[in-house]
Amino acid sequence: MGRKFFGTDGIRGRTNAGVMTAATAMKVGQAAGTYFQRGDHRHRVVIGKDTRLSGYMLENAMTAGFTSVGMDVVLLGPLPTPAVAMLTREMRADVGVMISASHNPFEDNGIKLFGPDGFKLSDEDELAIEALLEEELGLAPAGEVGRARRIEDARGRYIHAVKASLPHNLRLDGLRIVVDCANGAAYTVAPSALWELGAEVIAIGVEPNGKNINLGVGSTHLDAIKAKVREVRADIGIALDGDADRLIVVDEKGQTVDGDQIMALIGSQMAARGSLTGGGVVATVMSNLGLERFLKSKGLDLVRTAVGDRHVLEKMREGGYNVGGEQSGHMILTDHATTGDGTIAALQVLAALVSSGKPASQTLHLFDPVPQLLKNVRFAGGKPLEADSVKDAIAQAEARLAGRGRLVIRPSGTEPVIRVMAEADDAEEVAEVVDAICDAVRKAAA
């Protein structure tokens, strides 16, 4: 069955266009509410959102949908995605909803669903809800329509859970930290958690107005936090994205510490403490070869998956791993959360910084990345990767890099683009390999 609504991470699109309308949101509420009504108990859904202007519209529409099929609604207000996942489980809800388009601009929005265990839905669950979206669903009798209420302590509950991920005796006194919340969902909770742990906090990206989420700030726009770290002579910078499931770090010199370095740090430190499970770390095909070599030097494996934090989590659960993530900053630490959590990952980084007693530039840069180049080739139609000329170019590149590097070619899941990535120790060779494949793709697509 084809997917009309759900993509690689829930439902996402431009507000009031395509699938991201109030009418669709209400229908999703009805379908998910119908699907998750199992048993005779009073059913409950928790709904959180980020700071986008359209969040009000979609929140109200989904509330109407869920209550119309007899499910009670608990409104959490602006909260990170991992907070919604946590509260879904903690409040014994039957389903959780996060209204967010993550790092996208404010014009976009999305709907992510969590099951009662706090994990994102399986493919089977999403397909079942897709099927219900095409049906005329039965509504609850007048006396069984759901109720809606807003709780005021959701932020406090999440802050407590985040702090509980650290040892009780660990404090952040003496650390000057810049935290960039991308004018998004963590604009109150992340600075508060760091302050409560004793840090001196300089917060930016904490003035959401509905239209400035991810606008020049956050983990995908690092110029602002780099400038602020240097300006205030901070010890470290913590950059989150719009829904705070992604983390990028900036050291005291203004240098970027990406997800690969963060996984190297957390994974190796947990291994040294004997708390790393699975014998390694799970990452995607895009993680740098330098990470793989570093982990190997520590006797640890790097298990690769397709791109997407969902694939990472599936492999983690399948193999019993408790550390995984993406180069882009999604950090999944299943000892503490059921989905990516930028704030919890940041606290693990800060704990390592406190323990080392060294500057962030020395503590967090554990390996030199291998030269890596990614280029995108846009095409109008067809299947250029199936052309013999492209297959030949790929085969030649693989033979050239055999034993010394990696090649990843994949179509984008969201746009007509072929992504070509190569990495090896020789940057010039990497560029030649990528350009040769890109040229072959362009000619095949012409």
Side-chain angles (χ1 to χ4, degrees):
M1 174 182 172
R3 288 172 177 257
K4 178 181 176 182
F5 297 93
F6 285 92
T8 55
D9 192 18
I11 304 169
R12 188 176 297 186
R14 185 59 57 101
T15 299
N16 278 345
V19 299
M20 200 46 54
T21 65
T24 298
M26 185 176 73
K27 187 72 173 178
V28 171
Q30 291 175 329
T34 298
Y35 181 71
F36 279 101
Q37 287 196 44
R38 305 164 182 173
D40 297 327
H41 64 280
R42 190 69 190 173
H43 292 80
R44 175 185 294 168
V45 55
V46 298
I47 301 179
K49 61 180 181 178
D50 64 21
T51 56
R52 293 165 208 271
L53 179 63
S54 57
Y56 295 99
M57 174 186 77
L58 298 175
E59 178 187 56
N60 287 327
M62 294 202 77
T63 298
F66 279 112
T67 54
S68 73
V69 296
M71 188 170 274
D72 292 338
V73 175
V74 178
L75 299 171
L76 306 177
L79 270 183
T81 290
V84 175
M86 181 203 79
L87 288 168
T88 300
R89 187 168 58 178
E90 293 297 318
M91 297 188 69
R92 311 300 192 266
D94 300 278
V95 60
V97 177
M98 178 64 182
I99 300 171
S100 173
S102 189
H103 56 280
N104 287 25
F106 92 91
E107 294 92 345
D108 295 343
N109 216 327
I111 298 169
K112 301 179 185 180
L113 299 177
F114 296 93
D117 58 0
F119 287 95
K120 291 180 181 178
L121 301 190
S122 66
D123 287 336
E124 292 76 17
D125 287 335
E126 288 186 349
L127 286 171
I129 293 172
E130 280 263 6
L132 289 173
L133 287 169
E134 303 291 346
E135 298 180 12
E136 189 68 35
L137 300 175
L139 303 181
E144 296 178 18
V145 168
R147 302 173 184 270
R149 59 177 292 189
R150 189 174 297 275
I151 62 171
E152 303 301 330
D153 64 342
R155 294 175 182 174
R157 293 189 193 195
Y158 177 64
I159 291 171
H160 176 77
V162 163
K163 289 162 54 183
S165 68
L166 292 181
H168 290 297
N169 61 348
L170 192 144
R171 297 182 57 86
L172 302 180
D173 299 79
L175 282 184
R176 176 177 291 177
I177 302 171
V178 176
V179 57
D180 181 349
C181 299
N183 291 317
Y187 77 99
T188 60
V189 293
S192 295
L194 296 173
W195 176 81
E196 290 183 20
L197 288 166
E200 178 186 350
V201 180
I202 298 94
I204 64 175
V206 290
E207 299 179 352
N209 62 15
K211 298 182 179 181
N212 62 357
I213 188 170
N214 302 312
L215 183 61
V217 287
S219 63
T220 52
H221 302 88
L222 295 174
D223 287 348
I225 191 170
K226 287 182 176 182
K228 182 60 72 171
V229 164
R230 290 190 289 261
E231 174 193 336
V232 303
R233 297 182 179 179
D235 297 296
I236 193 170
I238 302 297
L240 305 172
D241 67 337
D243 69 335
D245 64 354
R246 185 181 295 201
L247 165 72
I248 296 292
V249 174
V250 174
D251 69 20
E252 83 282 1
K253 297 179 179 179
Q255 300 175 120
T256 301
V257 181
D258 67 10
D260 285 347
Q261 297 281 0
I262 296 169
M263 282 187 282
L265 177 73
I266 295 175
S268 61
Q269 294 227 330
M270 288 179 62
R273 296 194 301 267
S275 58
L276 186 71
T277 61
V281 170
V282 180
T284 77
V285 293
M286 300 306 294
S287 278
N288 194 272
L289 185 59
L291 171 62
E292 187 172 337
R293 292 174 177 174
F294 171 81
L295 293 173
K296 186 176 181 180
S297 74
K298 301 293 183 181
L300 303 173
D301 296 325
L302 179 64
V303 180
R304 295 185 183 271
T305 74
V307 173
D309 62 313
R310 178 174 177 168
H311 297 297
V312 172
L313 182 56
E314 287 174 355
K315 180 62 70 173
M316 290 174 70
R317 298 181 75 183
E318 175 186 312
Y321 299 90
N322 59 352
V323 175
E326 295 189 275
Q327 188 182 70
S328 60
H330 283 114
M331 292 294 118
I332 306 175
L333 306 175
T334 53
D335 288 349
H336 307 295
T338 57
T339 188
D341 192 320
T343 308
I344 283 180
L347 292 187
Q348 311 311 305
V349 171
L350 294 171
L353 192 61
V354 170
S355 176
S356 73
K358 299 176 181 178
S361 57
Q362 297 179 29
T363 304
L364 307 183
H365 294 273
L366 298 181
F367 64 88
D368 292 326
V370 171
Q372 185 183 82
L373 179 63
L374 170 67
K375 288 189 175 182
N376 297 324
V377 182
R378 188 169 293 275
F379 62 97
K383 297 180 179 180
L385 289 182
E386 296 182 5
D388 289 339
S389 58
V390 175
K391 292 179 180 179
D392 289 343
I394 293 172
Q396 291 174 22
E398 289 175 337
R400 185 173 179 181
L401 296 178
R404 298 182 297 106
R406 290 194 314 123
L407 185 66
V408 179
I409 297 107
R410 64 183 185 90
S412 167
T414 58
E415 55 183 332
V417 164
I418 302 297
R419 307 196 192 281
V420 180
M421 188 277 282
E423 59 181 357
D425 293 305
D426 186 334
E428 184 176 340
E429 182 178 41
V430 167
E432 291 172 358
V433 163
V434 170
D435 287 343
I437 296 174
C438 288
D439 288 344
V441 172
R442 288 191 192 96
K443 292 176 182 177

